[in-house]
Amino acid sequence: HFKYLVPAGYYQQLWDWDSMITGVALLSLGSAPYLAGSMMNFFSAVDLTTGMVKGCLTPSGAQKAIYHAKPVLLAGAWIAAKAMDNYDQFRPFLSQMLALDNYWETTRRDAATGLYRWHDQMESGCDNLVTSQCPSRYGSGPPHIFHQCWKESEAYSLASPDIMVFLFREKIALSNFLHKFGNSSLAAAVLVSAAKIKAALNKYLWVEEMGAFAAFNTTANQTIYSRT
């Protein structure tokens, strides 16, 4: 529906963080309308009941490769709106923004720790990490692309600093939009939620002896130590 950004080359697909990161990097070259359009395309595809939206869209519809778009859409929209000094262009998508926020709260938050989980490594972008032993539910990659090394029962167990930071930024962006749209009370409530994300990140993912943040398996209740 809207003009959008692609990673490069032959791609026709709209990818979640590829479009957001590219749009931010090229703001000085006039990318803001394309960044805005990319986020609007994702918002247009959000299921208002469930908050679901795939992480890869094409002109003919969504692709199944990425279970759900990474939580970078609201932040991308805010950056585009600020660059264009046009916040009202996103007002028609407020229901979609709230549905996305509710999705992460109701499906990804671990009640015991307050940590948020990826569905699988592929969703997190770990398919780009050469050390990943099982990047997705589709297999471990060439030459064993069809080797199933991941099971559905393992979903929603990987909590990591990246998803926590992404969601913190999503909350800040949503709060900013709500302020712009005149809903200060809800904006304040969203900021409280953002503060809880920050607290959980520091409580459960910071490893003092490493001097770094680590991932955490909420199913096994174990820290994941992996230096890359």
Side-chain angles (χ1 to χ4, degrees), residues 115-121 124 126 129 131-134 150 154-163 201 203-228:
L115 295 171
Y116 295 75
R117 288 82 54 86
W118 294 109
H119 179 267
D120 55 57
Q121 290 188 39
S124 77
C126 208
L129 183 62
T131 59
S132 176
Q133 296 180 350
C134 186
W150 184 89
E154 296 172 319
Y156 310 123
S157 62
L158 174 63
S160 53
D162 50 3
I163 191 173
L201 167 70
K203 180 177 181 179
Y204 292 101
L205 301 187
W206 175 256
V207 182
E208 187 64 34
E209 56 269 28
M210 287 176 56
F213 288 97
F216 191 86
N217 186 317
T218 57
T219 301
N221 197 35
Q222 292 180 339
T223 298
I224 302 171
Y225 297 96
S226 179
R227 288 186 177 273
T228 59

Side-chain angles (χ1 to χ4, degrees), residues 71-218:
V72 298
L73 306 181
L74 278 69
W78 177 255
I79 291 168
K82 188 174 181 180
M84 300 170 72
D85 193 24
N86 181 354
Y87 304 93
D88 278 344
Q89 64 181 316
F90 288 103
R91 189 185 291 271
F93 301 101
L94 180 57
S95 294
Q96 286 87 343
M97 294 182 189
L98 293 172
L100 283 167
D101 182 63
N102 185 63
Y103 170 82
W104 293 102
E105 288 298 317
T106 57
T107 68
R108 302 304 185 93
R109 185 178 182 275
D110 177 53
T113 62
L115 295 171
Y116 295 75
R117 288 82 54 86
W118 294 109
H119 179 267
D120 55 57
Q121 290 188 39
M122 177 74 170
E123 184 185 65
S124 77
C126 208
D127 55 307
N128 297 307
L129 183 62
V130 295
T131 59
S132 176
Q133 296 180 350
C134 186
S136 86
R137 58 193 183 281
Y138 297 117
S140 56
H144 307 295
I145 192 68
F146 297 115
H147 173 63
Q148 297 295 314
C149 59
W150 184 89
K151 300 183 294 293
E152 188 66 32
S153 61
E154 296 172 319
Y156 310 123
S157 62
L158 174 63
S160 53
D162 50 3
I163 191 173
M164 298 294 283
V165 172
F166 291 154
L167 281 167
F168 179 83
R169 291 175 174 174
E170 291 287 89
K171 299 281 188 183
I172 298 301
L174 177 58
S175 179
N176 289 341
F177 274 120
L178 288 166
H179 272 299
K180 288 289 184 181
F181 300 156
N183 194 335
S184 296
S185 60
L186 185 53
V190 172
L191 285 182
V192 171
S193 182
K196 292 179 180 179
I197 292 176
K198 184 177 180 180
L201 167 70
N202 289 318
K203 180 177 181 179
Y204 292 101
L205 301 187
W206 175 256
V207 182
E208 187 64 34
E209 56 269 28
M210 287 176 56
F213 288 97
F216 191 86
N217 186 317
T218 57

Side-chain angles (χ1 to χ4, degrees), residues 44-63:
S44 296
V46 170
D47 184 313
L48 289 175
T49 301
T50 65
M52 278 294 298
V53 60
K54 294 299 182 183
C56 178
L57 305 179
T58 71
S60 59
Q63 290 189 349

